[in-house]
């Protein structure tokens, strides 16, 4: 199924993860997945299947609305189960949240600076910002603009660019295509692909747009009602009749 | 006419204290969406701590003032560490209730230690009136005004130009985004409380020097409230302007209403009446930000 056995050690490993909201509604019922170094893995599934909850459990962003009730998260061999978000960011795991959470009252420049919050090597921040402008030239044009006034696509670019400023080892991308016009969806995916190649960053990607995601990913998991029901290489998943019917609209690529 | 100018200048000077104290209130609200009902008590305890230092250490009011700011910062950090951090994920209303509790505790401490009688700072500046040409103002008011300006300009520069200031603005802008880039929010909250404690203590020491110290100083928390609401709850610039407006209304209202009605104490009520009228017309306050909408 997966080609992980012949690959490197897993950078991220999730074992029988369970999570609940406010200790009442259990959303995850034992999720198992892993992401190897340098890989791009897609987590696919319908609305409410538990994709976002999985990412939030891993990144510590679940705190405040829910909690992990069972299982483990390992980052780079270290047991990071239940760590708050700031400890995960300083360990190189950055979560780009669904819904483009930029700082609406700060300028684009200040947003990018904040992305580098956990960095110790402050002298390299300006250079890295130039790197981000390489991927997203639009951001450079709008450097002084308050982020709240950017368009949806620009905010998504800013959210990804800001995450890059942390020099992450692994990026969790939640629905980068949500609410964007088709042209922009393609643009964002192209840039993510380019980033992946050039920055040597590992990716865990959550998407409803399964077709797009599987073009980008090496492997994928399908999550349904809080458990992984299917996993395999991107190619295997593209050919899988279950996935094709439900998530790819039955159209052959 | 001199009467008018006297009241106006007094109003501006008193208002500058309101502006400064309101800054702490707004900051905590911006950072954590918590209305800090212990703001007046922080002001009160700051004044008493300074008084105690003056008499115990014999270092003069300015020296004791600086030391008070340090002690108040420590106290703010302790409040955050011991009380508020445990309330991190609690509903905002619970945290607000806790601030009321902190206020009651601080007021009780003052009553226990210093009692209800009015205490006074030693006279450390010769209280000669300064002639501004059209009106004469007590020199202590000039000191107070300048101190307020220094504090507010200082914090203004801090927020605009320092990294920590940027982090605080970022957390105020979006808590979720701040967490996602790795900001430990409890540190931001602690810092907001430190700033609030500092401006409150400064306000307390200034007021204490002008009017003496009683536990009633804690009522400043309520008197500052119209400025906070009028300014828009989350706007620092708005609150600064509103603080001065409230001060002026209080002095002018108090002065003229006493003459017309023969009743004293109407000055304190006047700002609330004006507040209600202004909020009919502009519910978000003078400069309260309407949310920036995504296009």
């Amino acid at each position: 199924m997966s080609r992980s056995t012949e690959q490197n050690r897993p950078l991220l490993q999730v074992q029988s993860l369970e999570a609940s909201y406010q200790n009442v509604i259990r959303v995850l019922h034992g999720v198992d997945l892993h992401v190897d170094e340098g890989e791009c893995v897609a987590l696919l599934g319908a609305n409410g299947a538990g994709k976002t909850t999985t990412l939030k459990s891993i990144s510590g962003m679940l705190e405040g609305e829910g909690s992990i009730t069972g299982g483990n998260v390992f980052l780079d061999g270290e047991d990071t189960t239940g760590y708050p978000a700031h400890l995960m960011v300083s360990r190189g795991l950055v979560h780009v949240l669904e819904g483009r959470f930029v700082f609406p009252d700060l300028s684009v420049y200040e947003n990018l600076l904040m992305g580098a919050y956990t960095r110790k090597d402050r002298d390299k921040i300006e250079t890295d910002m130039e790197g981000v402008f390489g991927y997203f030239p639009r951001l450079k044009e709008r450097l002084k603009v308050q982020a709240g006034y950017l368009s949806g696509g620009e905010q998504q670019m800013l959210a990804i660019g800001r995450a890059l400023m942390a020099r992450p080892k692994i990026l969790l991308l939640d629905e980068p295509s949500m609410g964007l016009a088709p042209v922009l969806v393609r643009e964002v995916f192209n840039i993510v692909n380019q980033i992946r190649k050039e920055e040597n960053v590992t990716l865990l990607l959550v998407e409803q747009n399964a077709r797009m995601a599987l073009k980008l990913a090496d492997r994928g998991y399908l999550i349904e009602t809080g458990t992984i029901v299917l996993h395999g290489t991107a190619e295997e998943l593209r050919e899988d009749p279950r996935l094709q019917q439900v998530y790819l609209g039955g159209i052959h690529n | 006419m001199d009467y008018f100018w006297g009241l106006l200048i007094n109003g501006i000077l008193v208002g500058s204290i309101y502006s400064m104290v309101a800054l702490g209130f707004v900051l905590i609200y911006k950072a954590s969406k918590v209305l800090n009902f212990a703001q007046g008590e922080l002001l009160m305890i700051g004044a008493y701590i300074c008084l105690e230092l003056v008499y115990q250490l014999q270092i003069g009011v300015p020296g004791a003032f600086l030391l008070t700011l340090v002690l108040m910062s420590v106290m703010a950090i302790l409040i955050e560490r011991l009380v508020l951090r445990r309330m991190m994920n609690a509903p905002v209303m619970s945290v607000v209730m806790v601030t009321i509790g902190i206020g009651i505790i601080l007021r009780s401490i003052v009553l226990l230690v210093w009692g209800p009688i009015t205490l006074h700072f030693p006279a450390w500046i010769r209280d000669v009136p300064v002639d501004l040409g059209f009106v004469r103002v007590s020199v202590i008011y000039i000191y107070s005004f300048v101190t307020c300006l220094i504090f507010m300009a200082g914090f203004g520069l801090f927020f605009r130009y320092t990294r920590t200031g940027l982090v605080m603005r970022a957390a105020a802008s979006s808590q979720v985004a701040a967490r996602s880039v790795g900001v430990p929010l409890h540190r931001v909250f602690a810092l907001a409380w430190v700033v609030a404690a500092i401006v409150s203590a400064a306000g307390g020491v200034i007021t204490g020097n002008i009017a003496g110290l009683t536990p009633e100083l804690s009522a400043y928390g309520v008197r500052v409230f119209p400025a906070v609401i009028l300014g828009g709850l989350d706007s620092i610039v708005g609150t600064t302007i509103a603080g001065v407006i409230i001060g002026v209304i209080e002095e002018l209202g108090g002065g003229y209403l006493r003459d017309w009605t023969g009743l004293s104490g109407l000055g304190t009520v006047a700002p609330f009446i004006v507040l209600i009228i202004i909020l009919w017309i502009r519910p978000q306050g003078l400069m309260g930000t309407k949310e920036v909408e995504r296009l």
Side-chain angles (χ1 to χ4, degrees), chain A residues 86-108:
Chain A
H86 64 96
L87 294 183
M88 297 307 282
V89 177
S90 59
R91 279 165 177 71
L93 181 142
V94 178
H95 185 173
V96 180
L97 294 153
E98 174 186 0
R100 318 180 258 274
F101 278 93
V102 296
F103 297 109
D105 308 298
L106 302 189
S107 69
V108 169

Side-chain angles (χ1 to χ4, degrees), chain A residues 138-139 142 149-159 184:
Chain A
R138 286 287 289 157
L139 295 183
R142 317 214 59 184
Y149 293 113
L150 298 179
S151 70
E154 290 167 336
Q155 289 191 355
Q156 186 62 64
M157 293 174 186
L158 179 57
L184 273 175

Side-chain angles (χ1 to χ4, degrees), chain A residues 63 86 103-105 110 155, chain B residues 163 169-170 173 177 179 182 294:
Chain A
E63 199 188 333
H86 64 96
F103 297 109
D105 308 298
E110 289 172 326
Q155 289 191 355
Chain B
R163 198 181 107 92
R169 281 188 291 133
S173 181
R179 281 169 63 207
R294 200 159 55 224

Side-chain angles (χ1 to χ4, degrees), chain A residues 60-61 63-64 85-86 89 97 99 101-106 110 113-114 117-118 122 146 148-149 155 162, chain B residues 89 160 163 166-167 169-174 176-184 186-187 292-295:
Chain A
M61 291 301 289
E63 199 188 333
H86 64 96
V89 177
L97 294 153
F101 278 93
V102 296
F103 297 109
D105 308 298
L106 302 189
E110 289 172 326
L113 273 189
M114 282 305 295
Y117 176 79
T118 52
R122 304 246 175 94
Q146 221 180 310
Y149 293 113
Q155 289 191 355
R162 189 182 62 192
Chain B
N89 298 319
R160 181 101 338 244
R163 198 181 107 92
L166 171 65
V167 173
R169 281 188 291 133
S173 181
S174 166
V176 177
R179 281 169 63 207
S180 82
V181 297
V183 176
H186 58 83
R187 213 170 291 168
V292 173
E293 293 290 340
R294 200 159 55 224
L295 300 174

